[in-house]
Each structure stands twice: as structure tokens, then as C-alpha cells.
Amino acid sequence: PYTGGHLMVAPYAHVGTLEEADEATVCEMMLLTRRMQRHLREAYGAPGFNVGMNIGACAGAGVAGHIHMHM
């Protein structure tokens, strides 16, 4: 994490890429990310956010076969 307030949104499904995730999973991840942004803004008064995913070992993913979103 770059700063305090770091969160991760991880699906129950064990998939390694967005292409492997079904549409419902991808939608739920984004909706949860949006919800967490609102809560972080309220709790910390955050003026900005970094949101991202590392997919694959060469991209820095630390958990093989399981996507997750950082905020």
C-alpha cells in the first residue's frame, strides 16, 4: 500500500484473469470498489484514490490464480 486506508476487493471465485471471471463477479467487484471509495472519502477525507489490479506474476501479482482490486 502507498498510504493508509488501503483496501482490497477480492471475489470468492478463484480466477486468475478478468477474462476468466463471469460478468456478475466483475460487476460486483466494481460496485464494491465504488462503495469503498465513498467510505474512504467519508472516513479520511481522501481527495483522490489509486485503484488497480496486478494480473499475472510479471505484473506484480502476489497471489497466483486469484484476481483482486487494490484501492
Side-chain angles (χ1 to χ4, degrees):
Y2 298 120
T3 187
H6 179 256
L7 294 172
M8 286 186 7
V9 176
Y12 289 114
H14 290 277
V15 295
T17 67
L18 285 170
E19 295 125 321
E20 294 174 71
D22 61 35
E23 188 170 323
T25 296
V26 174
C27 288
E28 184 176 22
M29 287 181 71
M30 288 307 299
L31 291 172
L32 284 169
T33 300
R34 180 176 69 179
R35 183 174 167 192
M36 293 304 101
Q37 178 182 335
R38 183 174 62 249
H39 290 302
L40 285 173
R41 187 180 308 282
E42 290 171 2
Y44 291 97
F49 300 88
N50 288 328
V51 178
M53 298 178 83
N54 302 327
I55 301 174
C58 65
V63 181
H66 196 88
I67 59 173
H68 56 275
M69 180 97 60
H70 293 268
M71 172 177 272

